[in-house]
Amino acid sequence: MKTAETGHVKKTLTVSHYFNIGFGAIVGTGWILMVGDWVIVGGGPLAAMLAFLLGALTLLPIAAVFGELTSAIPISGGIVEYIERAFGSKASFVAGWLLAFGDGVLCPWESLAVATIITQLVAEIFPVLRAYKLYTIMGSDVYLYPVLIALLFSGYVIWQNFRGSLQMARLQTFLTRTLLFGMCVAMAVSFFKGSPQNFLPWFEVVTGPAAATNGTNFWTGLAAVLVLTPFFYTGLDTIPDQAEEAHEDLDWHQFGRVISWALLASCVFYLVCIYAFSTILPWTEFVKMPIPALSSLQSIHFYLYVVMLTIATIGPLGPMNSLFSATARIMLAMGRKGQLPAVFAHVDPKSGTPKAANILLAVLTVIGPFLGYSMLLPLTEVAALAFIVPCTMVTMACYRLRDLEPDLPRPYKVPGGKVGIGAGVLAGGAVIALLVVPGSPAALTWVEWLILCGWLCFGAVLYMFRGKRVQKAQN
C-alpha cells in the first residue's frame, strides 16, 4: 500500500518542448560567462573547440541510452528506476543523489552567474550597483544590489516551477530563442569585425582574471578542457527526467532521438561561440578581460554590447529553469522508491509539481548569489564528476537490462546495439578517470572533493530518515 496519496503529474509536454528544455538547460550562459576560461585553460581556442567536440561525441552514446530507456520506461526521474532494476536500490540511490547534485548545482551556479554579470559588467554602466559591499569571499567581492537582482530573477524561476511543467516549458521556449539570437550576434560581429588570424597561436600558456592554462602543451590543455565539458553538457538528462509529463500523443521514437539532437545542437552552438569570440580580437588579448565574451564587444559598439549584456543577464534563467524542474523529478522518483523521506514522494494535486523537492532546490538556489565569482570553476569541476558518474551507470544499466528484460518494449534503441551501449560505458569511464586519478591534469582539488563529500553526507542523513516505498508510482 502507498504511504500517502502521491498525486498525478500533468501530461502536457511535446517533442518541441523537450528539445527546448534540453537545449536551454545545456547551453545556458556558460558560453558567455566561461568561454574565456575555456580558452585560457586549454591554452587556445582550438584546444577548447576540439575538447567540446570530443565531449559531445563522448556523451552521444549516453544520450542514445537515455533515449532507449526513457522511451521504454517513461517516468519522472527515470534514472533511479533504470539503475534499481539493473543493480539494486543502493546503487540507484547513489546514482540519483549524485545526479541531483550534478544537475541541481546549476541552480545556485546560474543564480551566481547573474550576480557576477551584474557586478562585473552592468555595474560599469550603473556604478550605484556597487554602492554597498557586503563582504569578500575567496577574493571575490559580493555587493548588495547584484545579490538582490539575482534573487529576484531566481525567484521568478522558482515561482514558475511551483506553477507546473507547462509554464516552465513556455518560459524555456522564450529563453532558447533568446540564446540563439545571441549566438547570431556573436557570429555577425566575428564575420564583419574579426579576423581568422586572431585565432593564432594554436597553443600558448596564458593567465586570465580567474584561471590559467592547465597544461604544458596542446594535448594536456585539451584534456583539461575536456573534463569540464560534462558540466557544460549537463542538461541532456533533463529530457528523460520529465518523461512522465509527456503529452498523450507523443511519438516515443522521436522522443528517443530528441535527446541526441539537443546534445549535438548544443555542441554546434559552443563551437561557433568559441570561434566567434576568439576571432573578434586576438585571443591572447581577449582572455585578459573580465568576462571577455562581453568585454570584447564593448569597444566595437556600445548598443550591441548592451544587447548582449541583456541576453547574458537573463540567459542563466534557461538552465536554472530546466534543471530546477529536472532535479525535482529525480528527487520525486527517489521519494517514491523510499530512498528519501516520504514527503519527497508527494505531488501537489493542483500544479502537479513535487513540492518538497522544489522547496529544497529553492533554498539551494537562493544561496548562489552569496558565494562569489571564484566559486564558479570549483562548482563546475565537481558537478562534472557528479554528472558523468551516474550517466555512466545508466549506460551500464542499459547494457544489463538488454539481458535481464529482453522483452521490454523499446520504441527507440541505441544504434549499434550492445556495441553502441558499450562505447558509452568506455567513454564515461575515461572522463571519470581524468577527474579522479591523481596526477591527471584535471584531477579534482581538495576543495572540490570537500564539496562533493558534503553533498553525499547530506544525502546519507536524508537516507537515514527515508520513507516507505510507494509500490506503484502514479502516472
Side-chain angles (χ1 to χ4, degrees):
M1 294 182 63
K2 298 173 186 169
T3 57
E5 174 59 46
T6 60
H8 297 264
V9 296
K10 296 185 177 181
K11 298 180 179 295
T12 55
L13 303 183
T14 65
V15 169
S16 175
H17 284 142
Y18 280 118
F19 178 85
N20 287 324
I21 288 169
F23 179 79
I26 294 171
V27 297
T29 50
W31 59 284
I32 289 180
L33 198 62
M34 300 292 286
V35 66
D37 289 334
W38 302 340
V39 175
I40 292 167
V41 170
L46 179 60
M49 291 179 69
L50 287 176
F52 272 87
L53 176 60
L54 290 173
L57 295 177
T58 297
L59 292 173
L60 193 57
I62 295 176
V65 162
F66 272 116
E68 174 174 321
L69 291 176
T70 309
S71 62
I73 312 171
I75 62 173
S76 292
I79 183 175
V80 180
E81 175 74 14
Y82 317 147
I83 295 177
E84 184 184 55
R85 288 194 186 191
F87 303 115
S89 180
K90 290 182 179 179
S92 172
F93 169 76
V94 172
W97 193 243
L98 279 174
L99 190 61
F101 180 84
D103 284 355
V105 77
L106 258 295
C107 299
W109 193 98
E110 297 292 353
S111 187
L112 172 56
V114 173
T116 298
I117 292 169
I118 293 171
T119 298
Q120 296 199 10
L121 295 179
V122 179
E124 293 292 327
I125 303 173
F126 303 104
V128 69
L129 292 171
R130 293 181 187 157
Y132 299 100
K133 179 180 173 180
L134 297 176
Y135 50 83
T136 299
I137 179 171
M138 296 178 64
S140 299
D141 295 330
V142 178
Y143 295 90
L144 176 62
Y145 291 144
V147 167
L148 292 177
I149 295 170
L151 290 176
L152 181 65
F153 280 31
S154 302
Y156 176 70
V157 171
I158 292 168
W159 176 60
Q160 290 288 44
N161 276 274
F162 271 95
R163 292 179 67 194
S165 61
L166 184 59
Q167 298 301 323
M168 178 278 300
R170 287 172 175 168
L171 172 61
Q172 197 62 36
T173 298
F174 166 75
L175 293 171
T176 298
R177 292 170 179 170
T178 302
L179 291 171
L180 289 172
F181 175 74
M183 182 188 72
C184 292
V185 170
M187 290 173 58
V189 173
S190 173
F191 181 78
F192 289 106
K193 296 291 186 179
S195 168
Q197 292 298 317
N198 293 335
F199 200 74
L200 299 174
W202 301 125
F203 178 83
E204 184 172 314
V205 176
V206 293
T207 300
T213 301
N214 194 359
T216 57
N217 57 56
F218 178 85
W219 299 108
T220 55
L222 188 154
V225 181
L226 177 62
V227 297
L228 299 179
T229 61
F231 175 83
F232 294 102
Y233 286 125
T234 299
L236 67 88
D237 60 298
T238 58
I239 299 173
D241 284 338
Q242 299 172 76
E244 193 172 325
E245 290 148 284
H247 193 277
E248 298 285 357
D249 298 327
L250 188 80
D251 182 337
W252 285 103
H253 182 72
Q254 290 293 91
F255 176 93
R257 292 177 172 179
V258 79
I259 304 171
S260 297
W261 293 344
L263 174 65
L264 292 175
S266 302
C267 175
V268 172
F269 186 99
Y270 283 139
L271 297 183
V272 170
C273 287
I274 294 170
Y275 177 83
F277 284 116
S278 298
T279 53
I280 292 174
L281 299 172
W283 74 262
T284 51
E285 297 298 319
F286 157 79
V287 296
K288 296 177 182 178
M289 303 175 177
I291 312 183
L294 290 174
S295 297
S296 62
L297 297 176
Q298 191 169 12
S299 60
I300 293 175
H301 197 289
F302 179 75
Y303 291 113
L304 176 64
Y305 168 69
V306 170
V307 169
M308 286 296 290
L309 187 57
T310 302
I311 293 172
T313 305
I314 66 173
L317 302 186
M320 187 194 305
N321 183 46
S322 288
L323 288 157
F324 191 106
S325 179
T327 307
R329 273 63 181 177
I330 294 171
M331 293 182 178
L332 170 64
M334 296 177 73
R336 288 171 168 175
K337 293 289 185 183
Q339 298 172 359
L340 291 176
V343 68
F344 284 91
H346 296 183
V347 173
D348 182 79
K350 183 178 180 180
S351 65
T353 60
K355 288 183 66 174
N358 279 357
I359 292 170
L360 174 58
L361 288 168
V363 172
L364 294 175
T365 300
V366 300
I367 292 173
F370 296 94
L371 297 178
Y373 175 68
S374 297
M375 280 298 294
L376 285 175
L377 195 55
L379 286 176
T380 297
E381 293 176 343
V382 71
L385 179 62
F387 172 71
I388 196 64
V389 168
C391 285
T392 305
M393 293 174 71
V394 168
T395 60
M396 296 167 66
C398 185
Y399 193 95
R400 184 167 172 77
L401 288 174
R402 284 287 187 100
D403 295 326
L404 292 179
E405 301 186 38
D407 298 327
L408 181 70
R410 293 172 169 86
Y412 174 85
K413 292 185 177 181
V414 176
K418 284 190 172 182
V419 174
I421 299 170
V425 175
L426 292 175
V431 176
I432 293 170
L434 284 171
L435 283 164
V436 303
V437 173
S440 164
L444 297 188
T445 67
W446 70 269
V447 173
E448 292 153 1
W449 280 116
L450 187 63
I451 294 170
L452 184 60
C453 288
W455 179 254
L456 292 175
C457 289
F458 178 45
V461 171
L462 292 179
Y463 188 77
M464 290 171 61
F465 294 95
R466 62 191 182 277
K468 294 181 181 180
R469 181 188 184 94
V470 177
Q471 292 183 357
K472 181 180 179 183
Q474 296 285 349
N475 291 313

